[in-house]
Amino acid sequence: MKTGAIELGHKTSDSTPKTSVNRGISILDFILRIVAVIATLASAIAMGTTNESLPFFTQFIRFRATYDDLPMFTFFVVANSIVSVYLFLSLALSIFHIIRSRAQVSRIVLIFFDTGMLALLTAGASAAAAIVYLAHKGNTKTNWFAICQQFNSFCERISGSLIGSFGAILLFILLILLSAVTLSRS
Amino acid sequence: MKTGAIELGHKTSDSTPKTSVNRGISILDFILRIVAVIATLASAIAMGTTNESLPFFTQFIRFRATYDDLPMFTFFVVANSIVSVYLFLSLALSIFHIIRSRAQVSRIVLIFFDTGMLALLTAGASAAAAIVYLAHKGNTKTNWFAICQQFNSFCERISGSLIGSFGAILLFILLILLSAVTLSRS
């Protein structure tokens, strides 16, 4: 009887910290997701609302620069929008994990979609970054001129909008790591 | 005595399929990694050895097109090389997982690095894809001309070299999913 009680006590003290640590990780997961929603949404809005009108107009330079002049920027806005909607929806699952910290299948589903969304977000951010680089530096070999000399504030805005996206990429890597740690503990 | 034997038998039959399924997943992991090594290495080599010399030369068109004319292609080659070396090294850990199918910490480490490498590879592939798109279609708004009309075989080669990279991205997503499934089972 005594041994049983000790064993029972042992089991409880062994399982409670595990559960509470998992719950702590789940709460951290929830907070990181909210930050990532804000980061990707800010990126999408910053890029999507960028336009610059020039007071002059020559044969080579257009009046107005907007994000949809280049398909990579459109892709960037779409990718960031999709990821922010996904992250917002995933908050529900994140809350579920705070309540039921031993859930396994839903965590695997979350890791899978997180990984897919990480790839989508990285693709969008990287394609946009490649064009931003070209816009700043141009390329003499292919005869692509730097457009940032004309569209200065446009370039500053599109460069800035990349920050949120790359921040969200780091958050995703962290989120996947946290999910893996929780999976191994549950 | 009899109950004990039944319980023991129960435990064994419950744990053996789990271990053998984990071992099966680990072997699949190993095979997918080998395929991914080949895919990324082929991409790096295909892009890295691309060059085209033209028989004529005007004010705008250069004699010769090589991958290092554009920094995004250099990044693509570097990213693919790093990822293929990483994948090759990770084979050791993959073999370790086949032998010790209940290992947990090493799986978490693997998920973390896999995720980081996925992001690196996607960034490289996507930046290169953005430039390949520009090379094919050009962009009238920014006055960047399509260079594929001149450098036809160069363009075909660089477009083809993206395939291995994007294939490896899908393999990485699958590898992370497999690791997550094994983590939840061990």
Side-chain angles (χ1 to χ4, degrees):
Chain A
M1 187 66 191
K2 212 184 166 185
T3 335
I6 288 167
E7 268 190 316
L8 198 74
H10 227 282
K11 205 179 174 187
T12 320
S13 73
D14 202 45
S15 127
T16 311
K18 233 183 179 180
T19 314
S20 67
V21 168
N22 273 7
R23 183 156 295 151
I25 293 176
S26 297
I27 292 170
L28 182 60
D29 178 280
F30 183 75
I31 296 167
L32 289 180
R33 274 174 206 278
I34 290 176
V35 176
V37 168
I38 296 168
T40 48
L41 205 62
S43 273
I45 292 171
M47 180 70 87
T49 57
T50 303
N51 67 72
E52 185 181 1
S53 301
L54 286 187
F56 58 91
F57 158 64
T58 71
Q59 190 194 346
F60 286 104
I61 304 153
R62 279 179 71 248
F63 278 108
R64 207 154 168 269
T66 56
Y67 80 96
D68 57 357
D69 287 344
L70 283 149
M72 296 78 174
F73 291 156
T74 312
F75 176 50
F76 177 85
V77 172
V78 171
N80 272 282
S81 307
I82 291 174
V83 170
S84 69
V85 168
Y86 160 77
L87 279 167
F88 185 75
L89 294 177
S90 77
L91 287 176
L93 218 52
S94 190
I95 292 170
F96 173 74
H97 288 153
I98 296 175
I99 300 164
R100 281 202 54 191
S101 54
R102 282 181 174 278
Q104 291 212 328
V105 177
S106 56
R107 276 186 212 277
I108 295 175
V109 171
L110 210 55
I111 284 189
F112 179 67
F113 281 106
D114 278 358
T115 311
M117 288 293 155
L118 167 66
L120 176 64
L121 188 63
T122 313
S126 180
I131 302 303
V132 167
Y133 180 89
L134 265 189
H136 274 286
K137 303 252 177 178
N139 189 285
T140 50
K141 309 278 176 65
T142 54
N143 240 43
W144 293 339
F145 302 107
I147 57 162
C148 282
Q149 284 147 14
Q150 282 85 43
F151 296 98
N152 213 323
S153 87
F154 174 75
C155 272
E156 272 176 25
R157 184 76 170 270
I158 56 175
S159 312
S161 71
L162 296 178
I163 298 170
S165 232
F166 279 103
I169 290 170
L170 296 180
L171 287 176
F172 260 119
I173 296 177
L174 204 58
L175 282 172
I176 292 169
L177 177 66
L178 287 181
S179 291
V181 169
T182 331
L183 258 186
S184 74
R185 298 173 58 92
S186 57
Chain B
M1 188 67 188
K2 210 182 167 187
T3 334
I6 288 168
E7 267 189 316
L8 198 75
H10 227 281
K11 206 178 172 185
T12 321
S13 73
D14 201 43
S15 126
T16 311
K18 232 183 178 178
T19 313
S20 67
V21 168
N22 273 7
R23 184 156 294 152
I25 293 176
S26 297
I27 292 169
L28 183 59
D29 178 281
F30 183 76
I31 295 166
L32 289 180
R33 274 174 207 279
I34 290 176
V35 176
V37 168
I38 296 167
T40 50
L41 204 63
S43 274
I45 292 171
M47 180 68 87
T49 56
T50 303
N51 67 72
E52 185 181 2
S53 300
L54 286 187
F56 57 93
F57 158 66
T58 72
Q59 191 193 346
F60 287 105
I61 303 152
R62 279 180 71 249
F63 278 106
R64 205 153 170 269
T66 56
Y67 79 96
D68 57 358
D69 288 343
L70 283 150
M72 295 79 176
F73 290 156
T74 312
F75 177 50
F76 177 85
V77 173
V78 171
N80 273 283
S81 307
I82 291 175
V83 170
S84 69
V85 168
Y86 160 77
L87 279 167
F88 185 75
L89 294 177
S90 76
L91 286 177
L93 217 52
S94 191
I95 291 171
F96 172 73
H97 289 153
I98 295 174
I99 301 166
R100 280 202 55 189
S101 56
R102 281 180 175 279
Q104 291 212 328
V105 177
S106 56
R107 276 188 211 276
I108 295 175
V109 171
L110 210 56
I111 284 189
F112 179 68
F113 281 106
D114 278 358
T115 312
M117 289 293 155
L118 167 67
L120 176 65
L121 188 64
T122 313
S126 179
I131 302 303
V132 167
Y133 180 90
L134 266 189
H136 275 285
K137 303 253 177 176
N139 190 286
T140 49
K141 310 280 176 68
T142 54
N143 241 44
W144 293 338
F145 301 107
I147 56 163
C148 282
Q149 284 146 14
Q150 282 85 42
F151 296 98
N152 214 323
S153 88
F154 174 75
C155 270
E156 272 175 26
R157 183 77 171 269
I158 57 174
S159 312
S161 71
L162 296 178
I163 297 170
S165 233
F166 280 103
I169 290 171
L170 296 181
L171 287 176
F172 260 117
I173 296 176
L174 203 59
L175 282 172
I176 293 169
L177 177 66
L178 287 181
S179 291
V181 170
T182 331
L183 258 187
S184 76
R185 297 173 59 93
S186 56

